[in-house]
Amino acid sequence: MKDKVRRGARHPSKADATSLISGKDAVGNKQHEDSSFSVKIQGAGVEPFELEVRGFWLVQDAVMTLLLRDDVFPRSNLLLALAGMTLDPLAELQSLKGLKPGAVLRLVEEPYTARSARLHLARVLELLRAPGPQDALREGRSPSILETLTQTPDSNLPNGKSLKRSLSNTKTETTKPDGVAPEYLLPGSSERPLMALLPHSSQPESPSYLRDLCLSCWNPAPGHRKLQGDFLYITVVTMEGRRCEITSCPKGFFLNRSTEDMFDPRPVQSSPVCHNFTDLLCHISPAFKQTLTALKNRSQLPPVELMPTPYHTLSWLGPPCASRSHKNNFSRLGVEEQPATQAPDWNEELQAARDLPQGSMEERLQRDRAVLQVNGAFVRAVMQGAETVADGFAEPVNGNPDDPAFLWGGLFMSQGAANAIFGGDRGRRAAQRLELKGVQAYSDIEGLQGLHTLPTAIVDYRGVRLSAQGLAPGLEASDQDQGTTPASRGLLYGVTAGPQESPHRRRLLERLAHSAKCLSLQRHVVVGPKDHKVPLFTSVDAQGLLGADGRFYILDVFRTFPADANFCPEVETESLTVPEEDESKTSGGEEKEKEGCLKEGWPENYHSVSGLPRSFSHGLCRLRPELVQAFIQHKHCQFTQCVRETLDANGGFEECATACDSRATQAVRVACKEVGSISDIIFEMRFNPSVFSPEISFPAGESKSIKLQETLLREAAAFIITHQIPDFLEFCRQSNEAPMDGVSLKQALHQRGINLRYLGHVITTIGQSQHKDSLRHIMRLVVGEVFTRSARRVFNSFLQGVDVPSVSAAVSHFLCCLLVPHFTPAPLCDETKKKSRRRGRGSGASESTPWSMLAGAELWNLVCQDAAETYNISDSLGPGPNHLVEHYGLQKLSLLREFCLKTGVQLRLRDYILDNQNKAPIGPDDILNIFPVVKHVHMPTVDASKAYRAAQNFIQKGLLDQAHEHLKEATYLFGRVCDDLHIEACYCHSLLAKVSFKQGRAAEARSVQLKAVVISERVLGFDHPNTIHQYALLGVYVFAGGETALAQKCLLRARLLMLTVHGEDHPYTATLDSCLGLVLSGDQRGKFLENALRLNTSFFGPANLHTALTQQLLAQWMCSKGDYRSGMSHQKEALTAFTSMFGEDHPQSRCSKEFLCTITKQAVKVERSLRQAGAECAEQTVENLSPTRAAMLEQMALLTGIKSITHRNGLQEYRKKHTELKAAVAKELGFLVGDELVTPPTVNGEVKSSGQEAGSRKSAEDGGSPAAENTNEGQQEPLVEETTMKSAATAFVNGHVMQPAQANGHGETTDVDAGDSEGANSEGKEEDGEYEAGAAGQEAGNSTPNGVNSHTVNGEMESQSVEVNGAMNGAGDVPVSPSVLKSKGTWADVVSKPLGGRDTAVNGVGGKVTANGRVQE
């Protein structure tokens, strides 16, 4: 690979900027930090400078760091020398004698070889191809737009850092913002300008250095010149018009005397021999020297904006003028072309990277980075290969025209054979997709060493889906081996492998058994092709191979996951067939089966209600792994409930659990049988992937097991309809961060295990729901997704009959027929044909072309037919595209965006009018390109992801300091592995900014969030829903720094993207409008706030937190205008909502009531002044009720979900009951409760010494459960974990913040997102008892282990968390209200009597039940 050398680099420059924080396995990071020192670098024509190095670096690491510096680039082939001695590249710096701080290291120019000379020219090309603002759009990549918003007036100064300066700038802006939003962004506007989506960058286009740079016509060098050291001959045409011939030799580059007509390799007398190619160009051309100097002095973007992303992120919009933006990239130099050698072995590259050592964190980071780089290069090769195959440059290697296979660039690419059993072309595509998911599943198994999968990807390009894999070794036998056994050819496992026994097979079976346990697959037996029994740990198609490289491989895993019984009607019919001898036994139940439950496992009347099971367009409908895990969790709840009920029936739960008889064991056995566990002593769910496959036969002895598996799979399939889809819709109904487009809808459905073939059932469920109006945005998305997916399938078939010169015209014609109702193309006149010929496009579309005869009505019928067959919907799409707009509120622009993202079509950036029936709104010139759409395996970032998840756990406990440390560590690790260009790195940065903001570090939050926005734009897309969220959060953080104008730009940018992606009718639009109502000025504030209130009321109703907050904002705005009557009206509505949600004693309700009293008093004062002294005097007595800036900031944090208000009553009641129970246990038995000796209640309510708090903090940091809560909690108010959030309980009078009244002298506080406001270091005091609170959330750890309250409700273990973080972007906050205990008995009842230290194994896990109710695994 090209980047083999770079893969070994440790990117120490990253380590200079960021220090590694905590981590148990951080390979001596503190020693590494302490071993850093500075050395002086000089020589090789470079100005002397100092470099910070680390002692554990290798010499080659320091050289790599040097080569990346701007003042050294593009020099290469450099070595380091100390005291005249050249240093060994593989030596560690700390092992070198004489190397100390301040030492001088000299750069030594090493002679070139033919290969290193080409590599040096490649670095020169990298300099000459300096990235410009339009490069990303030209290449079809998603650009970053943030720089256009954060540009500063002095951005064009020498060495000015426009975005870098804004990343660290925390000063309040000096210019007064205008605070005026454009007309097209105001509420109610129907204008959707695309030109505003991609504004012009402040960065100048890359300058022109040379007119031309290419290989000379005198290449290759003749033999006698090769023997004298000539590598290459290069032709350069300078900006002055001078043509020069340059020779590359071991010493460097020099001018020769050759011309176009005569070859003379002798050097020019005045020409020096320069080791650096740019030094020679500066000597030749003064214009090049001047341009190069200007380039080095221009402002530089941060590396996160310049470094290439691991994978291609499609931009559906391209530059406004593609022809003018095309430039000379000096590709004729040819240094990037691979020599005619062997193609890369992608499988060996990937397996070698996976086999790298993982003993230390440093080794794991190197391994993860190598795997990610190999997979990224593989995906890029797949994109290239798809274009090569489609363009006809690759010949098929087989003779099958129905399934052509291609070998190109080390890739095996094929469409896959169409199997009638699987459903023709649809089944072939499904098999390719499921194969990729199976490879992903086996790749994600942690701790599975020795079982390998091939590098795999699927690519859709011009309507064709190709499956690409690396070549596995040892799969094909030679001619003389054809008659040997399968084992000698490497086939060790599978139906066709035959019976065999060998040590290799035993080792492979061990790995397959482990993988089956991780994937919840059941070991089963099938009948082989020769009627012999074959035991399997996988699906029946899978094959286990021993490659020639000695590695075990598993292939053909497309049926790894169990079948979806909702779409297996033929198999269901076969299973209903009853043998003749059993007819008499089952005749009585025939009518019952016909009426409702056809087979065991289906709910009552399931078929009549849902219409399932039914047939599907292909026979490869499988359950998603997320659904399998959710169903297992559901079954575990049933198991727990069954155990509890059985124990209650046999003498009581407490008595059976503490007794020494067999009643508890018998209860577990009964529960295992009831839920379908494969074991009768522990809970263990496994699924047979071969069930419901018509071509598979099972032995007679497996009938009982198969029947059980069929029942389980029916229950799992019904679980989607009865639980998962309703739960998804309930989440969307209550959340303001519901899906916004097809990508986020797909992600939300897949997270709950819902396949997209259930979109029709989602439509039906919404239509039958009483909350149909509140779910109209989800209905809109689902209908739009059905439309675009069906249109894509029709488009794939449509493109098969289009020749290459007509692709642009055909695609534009298809889009016009799809989006414009009754569109009929006008016949081309002769003049148009002549223009087309003059433009070089041939004669244009003729009437005889099949694709040009397609009309809008015909296309719409095809789309509706596909939607009816796939999603079982008949009339949901209506008679035409206008029905989608009028009935569902869909935007044609949003549909166009979705279609382009799914098909890879890139459109020219301009405004499109999609309602013109006379003129085609999209022409051939608007189709800029069609890019391959690749689906690939996602490689894990193990250590970084672990640190990120640990931080999330600390946030749930309220330990913000520890969370901040782990997030800093995670960001460092993400930078080491993927240079921060990873989706999880984006979530990590966003969460780090949120935690920093809660701790009062607004400047750090701003800096980190800027990076999160750039990552989201480049990795996910400039208009991805996550990017919208990140812009909104950035608006809050920059507003905290006083940058009101930038906050307005960020929020308006988010609203522009929201309008383009979805439209205005969405709950998150209300969130953006509420924030804009706070940061804007003038009458526009009222427009946005009123629109936010309208949206919140329509989606959530009046008694909702979002609606109440918007009512309060409107009341504040009305009062600032002097309209107290309207302000009182809105505040009354807010008070009613707060009271109904939180109760009258909640701080938020008390604050709202006080603010209403303040408004009322002010209104009375104004009215009295008007009556007594007139209007002029009244204006003087009016006091300003506008909120302070700090209060506005807190309100924005509430609106965007950075902070949240949660209910406290249920948690306090539970903790009170829990404390009383523990006190009773301690009083009766007098033993240790929760690792704390029970003592009598303290006197005067004083709290014990803070040593327990320190112990709690230490145990929480170590990952263990904090110390148990104090026993005197029953005599005093339960301590609230989080600090007071002032704006949530604040009234504004005279521009000052009024604190809420303290009830009974106790400072009851409002829960703020697991410990926010002043953060974990803040200290709060309670007046009654002089209580000093330590780190926020630590006391929560004292009273609640791990921040989670566990209790039993209806026999199920439930977890109550103060906050559950994990919205759709992985970093949001979802407040969870603890519920009151519903059952009298809890798990703490078990320990009300001594257990004798006995451990109980339940659900296959041996655990000890402690006195505080926590089960320790």
Side-chain angles (χ1 to χ4, degrees):
M1 292 178 55
K2 297 180 185 178
D3 51 355
K4 260 186 179 177
V5 179
R6 180 171 291 187
R7 188 195 314 160
R10 305 186 182 186
H11 283 264
S13 57
K14 286 258 182 198
D16 295 337
T18 310
S19 60
L20 183 62
I21 318 294
S22 61
K24 296 181 181 179
D25 191 20
V27 287
N29 293 308
K30 292 185 178 179
Q31 290 87 350
H32 292 170
E33 293 175 3
D34 298 336
S35 64
S36 62
F37 56 92
S38 297
V39 294
K40 191 173 182 179
I41 307 295
Q42 61 183 17
V46 178
E47 293 292 333
F49 60 91
E50 290 189 353
L51 178 69
E52 187 81 11
V53 298
R54 299 187 184 276
F56 66 91
W57 284 4
L58 302 180
V59 173
Q60 68 177 5
D61 292 337
V63 173
M64 290 295 297
T65 306
L66 288 170
L67 296 180
L68 293 176
R69 289 178 59 94
D70 292 337
D71 44 3
V72 177
F73 191 83
R75 301 176 188 274
S76 62
N77 261 47
L78 298 178
L79 299 176
L80 285 176
L82 176 64
M85 296 293 295
T86 302
L87 301 179
D88 181 9
L90 299 180
E92 286 192 358
L93 295 181
Q94 58 191 5
S95 65
L96 300 176
K97 294 182 179 180
L99 183 60
K100 55 185 178 180
V104 178
L105 294 177
R106 295 193 61 86
L107 289 172
V108 179
E109 296 175 344
E110 186 183 12
Y112 286 110
T113 62
R115 181 176 181 274
S116 60
R118 285 180 172 269
L119 293 177
H120 176 74
L121 291 176
R123 288 172 61 86
V124 173
L125 280 186
E126 188 178 347
L127 172 68
L128 300 183
R129 298 170 182 174
Q134 297 290 329
D135 288 352
L137 295 181
R138 276 193 294 265
E139 300 169 8
R141 294 181 287 107
S142 177
S144 176
I145 312 299
L146 179 62
E147 183 268 337
T148 63
L149 303 181
T150 58
Q151 56 183 324
T152 54
D154 56 345
S155 61
N156 54 358
L157 294 176
N159 291 322
K161 314 292 183 184
S162 60
L163 184 54
K164 278 188 177 180
R165 194 186 74 83
S166 67
L167 288 174
S168 58
N169 179 33
T170 59
K171 298 180 180 179
T172 305
E173 59 183 9
T174 57
T175 58
K176 183 179 179 181
D178 53 2
V180 177
E183 291 291 334
Y184 57 83
L185 289 180
L186 293 179
S189 174
S190 60
E191 186 181 0
R192 302 289 183 264
L194 285 181
M195 296 297 292
L197 282 180
L198 299 173
H200 293 290
S201 173
S202 63
Q203 292 290 316
E205 285 288 346
S206 55
S208 298
Y209 300 89
L210 301 168
R211 290 189 179 180
D212 196 14
L213 175 65
C214 61
L215 289 178
S216 174
C217 60
W218 302 113
N219 280 298
H224 69 283
R225 294 303 304 177
K226 280 186 179 181
L227 298 178
Q228 299 182 35
D230 289 3
F231 297 145
L232 289 172
Y233 301 123
I234 306 164
T235 300
V236 174
V237 180
T238 66
M239 296 303 295
E240 296 87 355
R242 180 184 176 187
R243 181 184 180 91
C244 304
E245 297 287 338
I246 298 176
T247 300
S248 170
C249 65
K251 293 184 178 180
F253 304 88
F254 63 87
L255 279 177
N256 60 45
R257 301 183 184 183
S258 299
T259 62
E260 288 184 89
D261 304 324
M262 182 185 65
F263 175 68
D264 189 352
R266 294 177 300 168
V268 177
Q269 292 183 354
S270 60
S271 171
V273 179
C274 299
H275 190 268
N276 184 17
F277 187 69
T278 57
D279 291 344
L280 180 61
L281 294 179
C282 291
H283 175 77
I284 297 173
S285 171
F288 179 88
K289 183 177 182 180
Q290 181 180 359
T291 307
L292 185 63
T293 304
L295 173 70
K296 291 183 177 181
N297 292 333
R298 76 170 183 174
S299 60
Q300 297 293 327
L301 295 174
V304 71
E305 289 203 44
L306 297 177
M307 298 192 68
T309 56
Y311 308 110
H312 185 93
T313 305
L314 175 66
S315 171
W316 65 285
L317 292 175
C321 186
S323 299
R324 294 180 182 177
S325 61
H326 191 63
K327 59 182 181 181
N328 182 9
N329 59 0
F330 308 113
S331 59
R332 291 193 299 159
L333 190 58
V335 295
E336 294 179 340
E337 296 177 0
Q338 292 285 349
T341 57
Q342 185 179 0
D345 189 346
W346 294 110
N347 179 65
E348 181 60 30
E349 291 272 358
L350 181 62
Q351 309 310 337
R354 284 176 170 170
D355 292 342
L356 290 176
Q358 307 180 56
S360 64
M361 176 177 285
E362 183 66 28
E363 291 175 343
R364 291 193 298 272
L365 293 178
Q366 294 289 340
R367 175 187 180 274
D368 290 348
R369 184 175 182 86
V371 170
L372 186 65
Q373 287 187 347
V374 172
N375 194 56
F378 171 75
V379 171
R380 289 190 292 272
V382 169
M383 294 182 65
Q384 262 187 321
E387 295 180 354
T388 304
V389 170
D391 292 338
F393 290 108
E395 294 293 333
V397 295
N398 60 350
N400 185 3
D402 297 330
D403 179 23
F406 304 91
L407 283 177
W408 181 89
L411 300 172
F412 178 78
M413 309 184 73
S414 67
Q415 297 184 26
N419 193 328
I421 299 178
F422 298 152
D425 184 66
R426 292 286 297 273
R428 175 170 56 187
R429 287 174 171 265
Q432 293 171 317
R433 172 175 48 82
L434 290 172
E435 177 72 18
L436 178 66
K437 293 189 177 299
V439 171
Q440 180 75 68
Y442 279 96
S443 300
D444 289 343
I445 298 176
E446 294 186 7
L448 181 61
Q449 300 293 331
L451 185 61
H452 299 265
T453 55
L454 297 179
T456 306
I458 56 177
V459 54
D460 293 300
Y461 184 61
R462 293 186 188 175
V464 177
R465 170 167 289 185
L466 295 173
S467 176
Q469 286 185 323
L471 300 178
L475 297 186
E476 295 183 2
S478 58
D479 296 337
Q480 61 268 22
D481 293 336
Q482 294 296 328
T484 59
T485 61
S488 63
R489 300 198 302 268
L491 183 61
L492 301 178
Y493 171 84
V495 175
T496 59
Q500 52 181 291
E501 188 63 32
S502 66
H504 293 298
R505 176 179 167 83
R506 286 194 295 270
R507 290 201 300 270
L508 175 60
L509 290 179
E510 291 176 0
R511 290 163 172 80
L512 291 177
H514 176 69
S515 63
K517 182 178 180 180
C518 297
L519 298 176
S520 301
L521 300 180
Q522 184 190 31
R523 180 187 180 275
H524 58 284
V525 180
V526 300
V527 178
K530 298 182 180 180
D531 296 332
H532 63 283
K533 295 181 180 180
V534 182
L536 295 176
F537 292 99
T538 61
S539 61
V540 71
D541 311 282
Q543 292 182 333
L545 303 143
L546 176 63
D549 54 359
R551 300 186 180 101
F552 294 113
Y553 293 90
I554 182 170
L555 306 179
D556 298 334
V557 291
F558 59 93
R559 284 201 283 188
T560 295
F561 302 110
D564 188 349
N566 281 328
F567 296 94
C568 299
E570 294 84 1
V571 182
E572 285 288 308
T573 305
E574 293 177 6
S575 63
L576 288 176
T577 304
V578 182
E580 294 181 358
E581 59 270 18
D582 295 337
E583 283 185 359
S584 59
K585 299 180 182 180
T586 60
S587 59
E590 290 181 356
E591 295 183 359
K592 183 178 179 180
E593 288 182 351
K594 291 181 180 179
E595 291 177 1
C597 297
L598 294 178
K599 275 294 180 180
E600 184 179 355
W602 295 122
E604 188 176 357
N605 299 325
Y606 181 71
H607 179 73
S608 60
V609 173
S610 64
L612 297 172
R614 69 175 183 87
S615 60
F616 198 67
S617 53
H618 62 77
L620 287 176
C621 296
R622 320 299 287 185
L623 297 177
R624 293 190 60 83
E626 299 90 346
L627 188 278
V628 173
Q629 296 304 317
F631 181 69
I632 292 176
Q633 184 66 29
H634 172 71
K635 278 291 184 179
H636 183 266
C637 294
Q638 291 183 353
F639 172 85
T640 307
Q641 177 73 9
C642 183
V643 170
R644 179 61 180 267
E645 292 176 353
T646 306
L647 292 179
D648 289 341
N650 293 331
F653 177 77
E654 177 183 346
E655 179 181 349
C656 295
T658 56
C660 298
D661 52 22
S662 62
R663 285 179 292 177
T665 304
Q666 185 63 28
V668 172
R669 292 181 181 274
V670 171
C672 287
K673 183 178 180 181
E674 180 69 22
V675 300
S677 172
I678 64 171
S679 172
D680 59 349
I681 57 174
I682 61 172
F683 175 84
E684 186 174 8
M685 302 297 297
R686 298 284 188 95
F687 299 91
N688 188 336
S690 301
V691 173
F692 292 139
S693 299
E695 77 280 8
I696 299 176
S697 301
F698 298 95
E702 296 285 323
S703 59
K704 184 177 179 181
S705 174
I706 297 303
K707 183 177 180 181
L708 173 63
Q709 285 294 317
E710 290 178 350
T711 302
L712 278 179
L713 291 183
R714 293 190 191 102
E715 292 179 1
F719 180 72
I720 301 176
I721 303 297
T722 58
H723 289 76
Q724 296 302 90
I725 292 179
D727 289 348
F728 164 71
L729 295 179
E730 184 64 20
F731 162 76
C732 295
R733 191 177 69 85
Q734 296 181 357
S735 174
N736 67 330
E737 295 186 355
M740 300 178 186
D741 67 343
V743 175
S744 54
L745 174 67
K746 173 184 173 182
Q747 180 183 359
L749 289 172
H750 284 176
Q751 284 177 350
R752 289 164 176 81
I754 306 173
N755 301 85
L756 292 181
R757 58 178 170 269
Y758 287 96
L759 289 177
H761 294 276
V762 176
I763 294 176
T764 304
T765 306
I766 296 177
Q768 298 173 353
S769 173
Q770 59 180 350
H771 306 291
K772 178 168 56 176
D773 187 62
S774 300
L775 293 171
R776 61 184 183 274
H777 57 302
I778 303 300
M779 175 70 87
R780 183 182 307 119
L781 282 180
V782 174
V783 172
E785 189 71 3
V786 167
F787 169 75
T788 52
R789 287 184 169 272
S790 297
R792 180 184 61 177
R793 282 186 282 270
V794 177
F795 179 73
N796 291 337
S797 302
F798 170 81
L799 280 184
Q800 302 310 306
V802 179
D803 53 350
V804 175
S806 304
V807 169
S808 294
V811 172
S812 62
H813 175 77
F814 184 91
L815 291 175
C816 291
C817 294
L818 184 68
L819 298 175
V820 180
H822 311 293
F823 175 78
T824 302
L828 297 175
C829 61
D830 296 338
E831 182 179 357
T832 306
K833 294 182 179 180
K834 291 179 181 178
K835 290 182 179 180
S836 299
R837 293 191 187 99
R838 287 198 299 267
R839 293 174 184 172
R841 294 201 305 265
S843 60
S846 62
E847 296 181 359
S848 60
T849 307
W851 60 261
S852 64
M853 304 301 295
L854 181 68
E858 180 184 357
L859 175 59
W860 189 261
N861 290 333
L862 292 175
V863 172
C864 292
Q865 180 182 354
D866 182 273
E869 294 175 356
T870 306
Y871 306 105
N872 197 26
I873 56 175
S874 55
D875 55 350
S876 296
L877 298 183
N882 284 351
H883 177 79
L884 303 179
V885 177
E886 297 167 358
H887 192 262
Y888 299 105
L890 275 164
Q891 298 183 138
K892 291 185 178 180
L893 182 62
S894 301
L895 295 176
L896 178 63
R897 170 184 174 272
E898 291 286 347
F899 180 84
C900 291
L901 289 176
K902 286 178 171 60
T903 57
V905 174
Q906 186 185 45
L907 298 178
R908 183 163 65 97
L909 178 61
R910 72 173 182 88
D911 295 330
Y912 294 95
I913 303 175
L914 300 176
D915 295 324
N916 191 348
Q917 300 182 10
N918 300 323
K919 183 180 179 181
I922 303 175
D925 291 336
D926 296 322
I927 309 300
L928 297 185
N929 207 340
I930 299 180
F931 291 97
V933 179
V934 183
K935 297 178 181 178
H936 55 85
V937 176
H938 297 275
M939 298 300 174
T941 53
V942 181
D943 290 286
S945 300
K946 286 182 179 179
Y948 175 57
R949 289 193 295 269
Q952 289 178 314
N953 294 332
F954 279 117
I955 290 176
Q956 292 182 1
K957 299 175 186 178
L959 305 176
L960 294 188
D961 277 348
Q962 291 87 336
H964 186 269
E965 291 178 359
H966 280 77
L967 287 171
K968 292 285 287 185
E969 178 185 0
T971 55
Y972 168 80
L973 297 177
F974 277 121
R976 289 286 307 276
V977 174
C978 56
D979 300 314
D980 293 324
L981 295 174
H982 191 276
I983 178 56
E984 202 168 1
C986 175
Y987 299 154
C988 183
H989 280 81
S990 180
L991 189 57
L992 175 59
K994 184 177 294 187
V995 172
S996 301
F997 180 79
K998 292 175 183 177
Q999 292 180 317
R1001 307 172 183 175
E1004 180 183 352
R1006 175 191 186 278
S1007 176
V1008 175
Q1009 186 63 28
L1010 278 166
K1011 196 171 186 179
V1013 172
V1014 174
I1015 297 173
S1016 182
E1017 286 184 321
R1018 299 199 61 212
V1019 175
L1020 292 176
F1022 70 91
D1023 55 353
H1024 191 274
N1026 181 70
T1027 305
I1028 300 176
H1029 288 295
Q1030 301 305 328
Y1031 264 113
L1033 295 175
L1034 179 60
V1036 178
Y1037 303 147
V1038 298
F1039 184 79
E1043 299 172 277
T1044 306
L1046 184 55
Q1048 293 170 358
K1049 292 179 181 179
C1050 293
L1051 292 172
L1052 289 175
R1053 172 72 182 172
R1055 195 176 203 277
L1056 173 63
L1057 296 177
M1058 186 73 208
L1059 294 178
T1060 305
V1061 169
H1062 184 94
E1064 192 174 78
D1065 192 29
H1066 192 277
Y1068 199 72
T1069 308
T1071 300
L1072 297 176
D1073 288 354
S1074 298
C1075 294
L1076 285 168
L1078 285 170
V1079 301
L1080 292 176
S1081 58
D1083 294 336
Q1084 288 187 349
R1085 289 185 58 190
K1087 292 182 180 180
F1088 283 105
L1089 289 176
E1090 290 171 356
N1091 188 61
L1093 178 61
R1094 178 186 63 83
L1095 291 174
N1096 280 329
T1097 304
S1098 63
F1099 283 111
F1100 305 116
N1104 181 268
L1105 178 61
H1106 303 287
T1107 309
L1109 290 174
T1110 310
Q1111 292 275 19
Q1112 190 163 339
L1113 293 180
L1114 265 172
Q1116 295 173 10
W1117 179 68
M1118 293 293 183
C1119 293
S1120 66
K1121 291 176 54 180
D1123 187 358
Y1124 296 101
R1125 185 178 300 275
S1126 300
M1128 290 172 57
S1129 175
H1130 287 294
Q1131 189 60 31
K1132 286 180 181 178
E1133 296 289 339
L1135 177 59
T1136 303
F1138 287 136
T1139 304
S1140 64
M1141 288 185 293
F1142 307 118
E1144 296 181 355
D1145 296 333
H1146 194 277
Q1148 183 69 32
S1149 302
R1150 296 200 302 266
C1151 164
S1152 180
K1153 186 175 181 180
E1154 291 172 3
F1155 186 42
L1156 178 59
C1157 294
T1158 304
I1159 298 175
T1160 306
K1161 292 177 183 179
Q1162 190 70 12
V1164 172
K1165 184 185 297 185
V1166 172
E1167 185 69 22
R1168 185 179 299 123
S1169 301
L1170 284 173
R1171 293 178 181 177
Q1172 294 178 358
E1176 295 181 359
C1177 184
E1179 292 179 359
Q1180 297 177 1
T1181 60
V1182 172
E1183 298 182 9
N1184 183 18
L1185 294 185
S1186 300
T1188 61
R1189 190 178 187 88
M1192 295 168 62
L1193 180 62
E1194 294 289 343
Q1195 289 171 333
M1196 292 179 65
L1198 275 178
L1199 292 167
T1200 53
I1202 300 174
K1203 300 179 180 180
S1204 58
I1205 307 173
T1206 58
H1207 304 266
R1208 308 300 305 166
N1209 297 335
L1211 179 61
Q1212 292 176 4
E1213 182 176 349
Y1214 167 74
R1215 295 168 75 182
K1216 183 178 179 180
K1217 288 184 178 181
H1218 191 63
T1219 305
E1220 292 174 354
L1221 177 63
K1222 289 171 60 179
V1225 172
K1227 185 176 180 180
E1228 180 180 355
L1229 303 176
F1231 66 95
L1232 290 174
V1233 179
D1235 301 331
E1236 177 187 349
L1237 184 61
V1238 177
T1239 57
T1242 56
V1243 183
N1244 299 327
E1246 294 181 358
V1247 185
K1248 301 293 285 184
S1249 64
S1250 60
Q1252 294 173 352
E1253 295 178 13
S1256 170
R1257 181 184 302 110
K1258 184 177 185 304
S1259 61
E1261 290 176 354
D1262 295 339
S1265 60
E1269 60 185 344
N1270 298 324
T1271 58
N1272 59 354
E1273 285 183 354
Q1275 299 185 3
Q1276 57 181 320
E1277 289 289 328
L1279 183 63
V1280 181
E1281 297 89 333
E1282 293 79 11
T1283 56
T1284 304
M1285 181 186 59
K1286 298 180 180 179
S1287 75
T1290 305
F1292 307 102
V1293 180
N1294 300 327
H1296 299 285
V1297 180
M1298 287 185 56
Q1299 298 297 337
Q1302 303 293 330
N1304 300 324
H1306 294 278
E1308 184 177 0
T1309 59
T1310 305
D1311 177 45
V1312 183
D1313 196 23
D1316 20 279
S1317 189
E1318 301 299 329
N1321 294 327
S1322 62
E1323 294 186 355
K1325 292 185 179 181
E1326 288 199 66
E1327 298 176 2
D1328 187 12
E1330 298 294 325
Y1331 188 87
E1332 291 286 332
Q1338 292 174 359
E1339 290 75 23
N1342 290 336
S1343 61
T1344 310
N1346 293 333
V1348 177
N1349 301 324
S1350 299
H1351 67 278
T1352 306
V1353 179
N1354 298 327
E1356 299 181 10
M1357 288 297 294
E1358 295 185 355
S1359 295
Q1360 294 181 0
S1361 174
V1362 176
E1363 300 239 21
V1364 178
N1365 293 277
M1368 62 184 299
N1369 65 350
D1373 296 335
V1374 182
V1376 176
S1377 304
S1379 57
V1380 184
L1381 284 172
K1382 299 180 181 179
S1383 61
K1384 295 182 180 179
T1386 66
W1387 284 105
D1389 297 337
V1390 180
V1391 296
S1392 60
K1393 297 184 182 299
L1395 298 178
R1398 187 171 59 251
D1399 295 344
T1400 305
V1402 182
N1403 304 336
V1405 179
K1408 181 189 294 183
V1409 183
T1410 59
N1412 58 3
R1414 181 173 183 264
V1415 180
Q1416 297 179 348
E1417 292 188 1

